[in-house]
Amino acid sequence: MATGGTTGLSVPRHANRLINEKSPYLLQHAHNPVDWYPWGQEAFDKAKKENKLIFLSVGYSTCHWCHVMEEESFKNKEIGEIMNKNFVCIKVDREERPDVDKVYMTFVQVTSGGGGWPMSVWLTPDLKPFAGGTYFPPEDSIHRVGFRTVLLRIAEQWKENKDALLENSQKILEALIHGCEIRVRGQESPPPSKEVMATCFQQLSKSYDEDYGGFSESPKFPTPVNLNFLFTYWAMNRTTPEGAQALQMALHTLKMMAHGGIHDHIGQGFHRYSTDQHWHVPHFEKMLYDQGQLAAAYSKAFQISGDEFFADVAQDILLYVSRDLSDRSGGFYSAEDADSYPTTASEEKREGAFCVWAAEEIQALLPDPVEGATAGTTLGDVFMHHYGVKESGNVNPMKDPHQELKGKNVLIVRCSLELTAARFGLELGRVSALLQEGRQRLATARAQRPRPHLDTKMLAAWNGLMISGFAQAGAALAKKDYVSRAAQAAAFVRRHLFDPASGRLLRSCYRGKDNAVEQSALPIQGFLEDYVFIIQALFDLYEASLEQGWLEWALQLQHTQDKLFWDPKGFAYFSSEAGDPSLLLRLKDDQDGAEPAANSVTVTNLLRAACYSGHAEWVEKAGQILSAFSERLQKIPIALPEMARATAVFHHTIKQVVICGDPQGEDTKEMLHCVHSIFSPNKVLMLADGESAGFLYRQLPFLASLERKDGKATAYLCSNFTCSLPVTSPEELRGMLCP
């Protein structure tokens, strides 16, 4: 058995097989007394050879309850012995292997009515699930059976009733296969977009929280897919009361989130979700996929409203990612943990310790008297009033079951700048400057605290979402440095997560020794979501940078995606490739959640790809996906808001906005700035620079017939490759794009 690092007494620490893995989550468990195996043939062979059940534990490195179960059970020697004696134990990082996670999570959800992580599943030696759940406490209590008891009961069942258990597992698998099938039934056509959009809007309206924004009482997730749907619904219904309501719902939600404790007012970026209705007390982990999608959502909100508040929040997110989630090679890390040591002397991690404050800490950091304010006012008084800080702490004990936040404060904007200014008799600009000073001092103090764990795994899919965030913000906010950062990350993906020989993407790579980028011994091949989010990112990056190389690569990847994942019988794309005998099911994700489902995003990707290539079969494929999901889209489109949005794009025919001009010319830049400043969900932008040997001209012969009028940069609005009369002023172009 390999050995890991040494303790102060130079005694080698016990290490299991996970010590040879690259995933930060698997490495966290490398010194458990449990004889963990990674997912793979060695573990499967052992289970068959020894006729043992498999215990499968799935989680991720920034998962709070995964840490709790490890501390309570997987570090417990007695429980470890029970596990090693009776089971082959396998650990999976769900972010590395979403395919494995999805198969067994589907089973857990169907059999228990709930799901989440850590996921605990027991499998027969041929990988069929028969029992499962999520977090188990180590010992029995009044309310729950403990993990030790469950292990012993299942081991006993396998000894006493093996045949019945095997038979039952086969029935479960057959039911899962039948229940999970998504396919076209008969001659279904894409559902009508007007009805799908209207139903989705009604369903979102019913779940909308008018006071605090968002779409549930608690917990509250940012769910950018809902906001993107509402923006598109508004764009298609601008003159109706429903359209105005949709926009108000999206903007109010984004404002309340930005004011809430889910937003890190000191360190920037957004936490994963709020435990309460008010966006106040979050689960403190920060996920890359949230930052990417929210940067794009706040940029769209700025495009639509012109309100600088939204631009500021987008920039805040991108500052956080650039500073804390960026590898020097250009890639983006996956996440930051919720738990950390409160001080360098602490022996136990606490959730939120890095982010929360005691009132006396703030008073000590901000003691300065404020000139011109009511007598005796300090900077701390102004800051604490504005951010809802209380002497006894501002966290509701109901939202703090383990009392980790007792006496602490999660900053939340409780007053407008105007109210805070009035309260202390100060001018607006002065209050703004004082709060900025307070935030900077708290940031400096916080930098002295032990940082949470950083998951330095780099995933193709999530890097794609973040590239889109930087590219869309760069275009909407006219910030070239954001577009450059997006291009740097796309170059990173091409260098480290793409195999030019096969034309295929890889799922993940890792920060290794001396900060070098490393790949695992057996690289994990890209899944559908890796292709879809990278293709979307490359289209966004082309529109922001107008570098045709990104476009060319996007279309190549689309062809590869078609080859690897398309279901020619039932239509739509499978989430994983065929040919992996360890995967019991090839699934099609049917829910837009914290991340959009890959099939939802790919509908718009296919329509964009067709506009840039002239390949009509991609439009046909987009329609076939909508047909495959037709029943779900018509009954519960709220489960698929991104796909519901895509039905509107499909039925409204994408506009090709072609700018003919010199890329360096000021007139061309003005026209491009006009396009970038307008939110229009069913357009693609292309620059016809006159280089007839270039990629776009080879793909789209109609471009050769478009000319600059009177030598000026000229815009054409085309639909199905038929174009409007040319315009040469940004004002005329704006009129065409906002009819």
Side-chain angles (χ1 to χ4, degrees):
M1 186 76 55
T3 56
T6 57
T7 64
L9 297 171
S10 295
V11 178
R13 287 172 73 191
H14 161 81
N16 55 47
R17 283 166 181 76
L18 300 185
I19 198 73
N20 300 314
E21 295 299 305
K22 300 286 186 192
S23 153
Y25 176 63
L26 299 186
L27 289 169
Q28 282 172 356
H29 294 78
H31 299 289
N32 295 167
V34 180
D35 188 13
W36 291 117
Y37 284 73
W39 180 264
Q41 204 56 48
E42 188 186 4
F44 309 152
D45 290 346
K46 180 180 168 73
K48 282 188 175 156
K49 187 180 167 191
E50 298 180 13
N51 199 21
K52 271 186 176 176
L53 292 174
I54 289 169
F55 170 66
L56 172 66
S57 175
V58 182
Y60 55 101
S61 84
T62 58
C63 158
H64 175 70
W65 286 101
C66 300
H67 301 328
V68 174
M69 193 161 173
E70 183 194 13
E71 287 296 326
E72 293 175 342
S73 294
F74 303 148
K75 285 186 177 178
N76 180 308
K77 279 193 172 156
E78 286 175 36
I79 290 179
E81 281 168 14
I82 295 169
M83 292 171 74
N84 296 339
K85 182 183 170 189
N86 296 287
F87 305 96
V88 174
C89 301
I90 298 179
K91 254 286 169 210
V92 167
D93 180 341
R94 69 171 293 258
E95 295 167 357
E96 275 192 325
R97 293 300 304 258
D99 54 338
V100 175
D101 176 56
K102 188 67 184 167
V103 167
Y104 295 106
M105 185 58 77
T106 302
F107 161 74
V108 170
Q109 286 172 324
V110 166
T111 53
S112 71
W117 300 275
M119 174 168 62
S120 309
V121 194
W122 286 265
L123 323 177
T124 62
D126 55 1
L127 306 178
K128 291 170 189 159
F130 63 89
T134 53
Y135 162 79
F136 287 93
E139 307 297 346
D140 297 352
S141 66
I142 301 165
H143 304 293
R144 299 189 70 164
V145 179
F147 187 53
R148 182 198 301 265
T149 304
V150 175
L151 289 168
L152 292 169
R153 279 185 192 168
I154 287 174
E156 186 66 20
Q157 237 185 328
W158 181 240
K159 272 187 200 143
E160 303 295 326
N161 297 311
K162 190 178 293 179
D163 291 344
L165 200 148
L166 287 169
E167 192 182 325
N168 190 34
S169 72
Q170 183 57 35
K171 283 180 185 165
I172 288 169
L173 179 62
E174 285 164 10
L176 280 179
I177 290 169
H178 180 70
C180 293
E181 196 174 44
I182 292 169
R183 59 179 302 117
V184 169
R185 317 248 170 227
Q187 295 296 306
E188 272 178 318
S189 55
S193 70
K194 206 168 181 184
E195 285 82 342
V196 169
M197 292 286 280
T199 307
C200 191
F201 175 66
Q202 283 159 10
Q203 290 175 348
L204 277 174
S205 302
K206 275 182 192 160
S207 65
Y208 176 66
D209 178 346
E210 291 197 7
D211 294 325
Y212 296 98
F215 301 92
S216 61
E217 287 200 359
S218 66
K220 263 191 177 153
F221 287 81
T223 46
V225 288
N226 291 340
L227 307 173
N228 290 335
F229 169 84
L230 291 169
F231 286 147
T232 296
Y233 186 85
W234 165 78
M236 306 269 175
N237 301 274
R238 286 174 200 233
T239 56
T240 67
E242 292 81 9
Q245 187 190 345
L247 181 59
Q248 192 273 334
M249 285 161 67
L251 296 181
H252 182 59
T253 297
L254 286 167
K255 267 215 160 122
M256 296 308 286
M257 278 169 46
H259 289 320
I262 191 173
H263 180 201
D264 185 345
H265 297 281
I266 303 303
Q268 296 81 43
F270 279 79
H271 301 295
R272 185 159 156 257
Y273 67 90
S274 170
T275 60
D276 56 60
Q277 184 184 359
H278 315 111
W279 302 107
H280 181 205
V281 181
H283 251 319
F284 287 88
E285 64 263 41
K286 289 179 177 174
M287 312 303 293
L288 182 66
Y289 59 75
D290 281 326
Q291 315 310 320
Q293 292 178 89
L294 286 170
Y298 278 99
S299 299
K300 291 183 184 108
F302 169 68
Q303 264 183 329
I304 292 166
S305 68
D307 186 340
E308 289 287 344
F309 173 85
F310 298 113
D312 290 344
V313 181
Q315 292 177 81
D316 163 294
I317 295 167
L318 299 178
L319 169 62
Y320 163 67
V321 173
S322 300
R323 187 190 63 228
D324 293 346
L325 294 183
S326 288
D327 188 81
R328 66 184 186 187
S329 62
F332 299 112
Y333 301 139
S334 294
E336 261 195 315
D337 205 347
D339 302 4
S340 60
Y341 295 106
T343 68
T344 47
S346 304
E347 294 189 357
E348 202 174 300
K349 289 185 176 184
R350 291 190 162 206
E351 171 149 26
F354 189 64
C355 301
V356 297
W357 302 89
E360 58 267 26
E361 277 182 284
I362 295 176
Q363 284 163 335
L365 287 165
L366 310 176
D368 324 38
V370 177
E371 282 180 40
T374 39
T377 300
T378 65
L379 174 53
D381 295 333
V382 176
F383 192 90
M384 287 165 62
H385 178 78
H386 190 75
Y387 286 108
V389 175
K390 294 179 181 172
E391 297 289 341
S392 57
N394 70 1
V395 175
N396 180 341
M398 297 292 288
K399 297 299 172 190
D400 183 26
H402 301 288
Q403 298 203 318
E404 291 179 291
L405 304 174
K406 193 176 181 183
K408 301 291 187 184
N409 290 273
V410 177
L411 302 184
I412 177 170
V413 176
R414 285 292 188 204
C415 307
S416 64
L417 281 174
E418 289 80 0
L419 281 172
T420 300
R423 167 78 173 71
F424 295 102
L426 294 165
E427 290 177 1
L428 268 186
R430 184 85 197 290
V431 169
S432 194
L434 288 169
L435 294 173
Q436 172 69 12
E437 170 66 20
R439 288 194 299 270
Q440 281 176 344
R441 284 203 213 164
L442 265 62
T444 304
R446 198 168 96 166
Q448 307 307 308
R449 296 175 178 176
R451 284 197 75 90
H453 158 76
L454 179 67
D455 188 320
T456 54
K457 177 172 71 272
M458 291 169 270
L459 300 171
W462 295 4
N463 269 258
L465 291 173
M466 200 65 241
I467 291 166
S468 285
F470 270 100
Q472 288 187 36
L477 277 53
K479 295 266 186 189
K480 278 187 183 169
D481 53 333
Y482 292 161
V483 181
S484 300
R485 183 67 189 89
Q488 188 192 0
F492 163 85
V493 172
R494 190 156 57 190
R495 193 164 57 251
H496 294 288
L497 290 168
F498 175 65
D499 176 8
S502 64
R504 289 163 66 148
L505 289 170
L506 298 172
R507 170 67 175 174
S508 54
C509 59
Y510 310 84
R511 185 177 78 183
K513 290 189 181 73
D514 303 321
N515 292 328
V517 177
E518 293 183 353
Q519 190 46 265
S520 47
L522 282 172
I524 301 166
Q525 295 297 317
F527 300 103
L528 175 65
E529 64 176 41
D530 296 302
Y531 285 83
V532 168
F533 295 160
I534 290 291
I535 291 166
Q536 173 178 249
L538 294 172
F539 285 142
D540 290 340
L541 181 51
Y542 168 71
E543 292 207 9
S545 69
L546 301 163
E547 294 283 342
Q548 293 187 27
W550 303 124
L551 206 51
E552 191 166 358
W553 189 27
L555 297 180
Q556 285 168 2
L557 288 175
Q558 188 59 62
H559 283 297
T560 307
Q561 179 189 314
D562 294 349
K563 199 167 60 187
L564 295 175
F565 303 104
W566 182 252
D567 176 3
K569 291 182 184 159
F571 298 158
Y573 294 93
F574 289 112
S575 300
S576 54
E577 283 183 56
D580 182 346
S582 72
L583 270 193
L584 301 177
L585 303 169
R586 280 184 91 195
L587 297 167
K588 296 172 188 170
D589 211 351
D590 62 355
Q591 186 131 7
D592 294 323
E595 303 163 64
N599 270 299
S600 298
V601 173
T602 210
V603 174
T604 309
N605 281 357
L606 289 165
L607 297 171
R608 291 169 90 175
C611 284
Y612 285 123
S613 66
H615 291 323
E617 70 269 22
W618 277 332
V619 178
E620 190 183 344
K621 268 191 164 66
Q624 288 169 334
I625 294 169
L626 296 174
S627 302
F629 286 87
S630 179
E631 186 182 351
R632 196 163 174 82
L633 283 167
Q634 291 183 80
K635 285 183 180 170
I636 44 165
I638 194 172
L640 285 166
E642 176 59 31
M643 195 179 286
R645 196 189 75 75
T647 60
V649 180
F650 178 79
H651 285 287
H652 282 80
T653 309
I654 287 191
K655 297 171 187 165
Q656 295 157 304
V657 182
V658 184
I659 311 289
C660 295
D662 173 2
Q664 303 309 317
E666 284 306 313
D667 53 351
T668 305
K669 288 176 183 173
E670 280 179 28
M671 293 295 241
L672 292 171
H673 178 68
C674 170
V675 178
H676 288 317
S677 69
I678 294 166
F679 176 73
S680 176
N682 64 325
K683 71 161 188 335
V684 300
L685 170 65
M686 55 186 91
L687 177 69
D689 56 8
E691 293 287 335
S692 56
F695 177 73
L696 263 180
Y697 280 85
R698 296 200 310 274
Q699 293 288 310
L700 302 171
F702 87 100
L703 291 178
S705 65
L706 305 182
E707 296 173 341
R708 298 179 205 182
K709 194 175 165 195
D710 305 326
K712 294 180 190 166
T714 305
Y716 295 83
L717 204 58
C718 311
S719 191
N720 286 329
F721 312 103
T722 305
C723 301
S724 67
L725 293 170
V727 298
T728 54
S729 77
E731 294 74 31
E732 288 175 291
L733 177 56
R734 182 173 290 278
M736 289 165 74
L737 290 172
C738 301

